[in-house]
Amino acid sequence: MPRMLVTYDPTWPDRFESIAADLRARGDADWIIEHIGSTAIPGMRAKPIIDLAIRVADLDDLEAHRPALEAAGWRQGSAVRTHPVLVLEIDGVRAAIAHFFVAVEWDAVHQRLLRDWLRTHPEDADRYSHAKCDAVAAAARGRSTYNAAKTPVIQEIVDRARAAQGLPSVPVYDK
């Protein structure tokens, strides 16, 4: 069962900044790192896990820094298939998830587009928040996984965000 959703924590942006600074120190100081996911949306209930989008020049850039990241506790640990993901656990509990995207993909990364859309479209943020609560309930009943249950709403919102940018629809479920 997924961790429960909690009320928005105003310390999440500071936690993001701390994690991003550590990633830059162990990786590349020039990496662009952004706060994504529900903890990046002021007021939204979320699992208390900080998601980060990291722009790397190419996958060799990530691989060159992987040993230092792993020495700091970052591990492969996600079922995501479309891009590399490293997970940081503290005392056996997920604390952060780092999503790595190559520079040529950066402007069309749906996680970034979703975050930006939700920050400026409160009606969709509210709809997504309700979908997340419904997804937790569905997962608790064994009817679906948390991610699969919220995907239809994410897909609709991302499709609108991409269309507004002149981008085609892409599947958002990548597990």
Side-chain angles (χ1 to χ4, degrees), residues 20-96:
D22 188 63
L23 282 165
R24 283 188 197 96
R26 296 173 189 284
D28 186 325
D30 292 331
W31 281 350
I32 294 173
I33 304 177
E34 295 182 0
H35 192 181
I36 58 170
S38 295
T39 61
I41 311 300
M44 183 166 287
R45 294 178 55 79
K47 293 186 288 181
I49 302 169
I50 303 299
D51 284 285
L52 306 98
I54 304 167
R55 189 182 84 173
V56 295
D58 52 39
L59 293 182
D60 290 339
D61 183 15
L62 168 60
E63 292 309 315
H65 297 95
R66 186 183 289 267
L69 297 172
E70 289 177 348
W74 289 93
R75 301 280 181 264
Q76 202 75 33
S78 171
V80 171
R81 298 175 305 205
T82 57
H83 57 274
V85 176
L86 296 178
V87 174
L88 178 67
E89 291 186 355
I90 298 175
D91 298 325
V93 177
R94 277 190 180 191

Side-chain angles (χ1 to χ4, degrees), residues 10 12 27 30 48 67 73-74 97 101 105 113 134 155 157 159 162-163:
W12 287 337
D30 292 331
W74 289 93
I97 304 172
F101 301 97
E105 299 171 336
L113 296 172
D134 292 346
Q155 185 71 59
I157 295 169
D159 283 348
R162 290 181 66 82

Side-chain angles (χ1 to χ4, degrees), residues 124-168:
D124 279 336
D126 186 57
R127 185 167 173 244
Y128 179 51
S129 184
H130 283 92
K132 288 163 49 91
C133 292
D134 292 346
V136 167
R141 291 188 307 270
R143 299 185 66 184
S144 179
T145 67
Y146 172 73
N147 287 325
K150 65 182 186 167
T151 294
V153 170
I154 294 171
Q155 185 71 59
E156 289 175 29
I157 295 169
V158 168
D159 283 348
R160 281 198 302 281
R162 290 181 66 82
Q165 302 259 341
L167 298 168

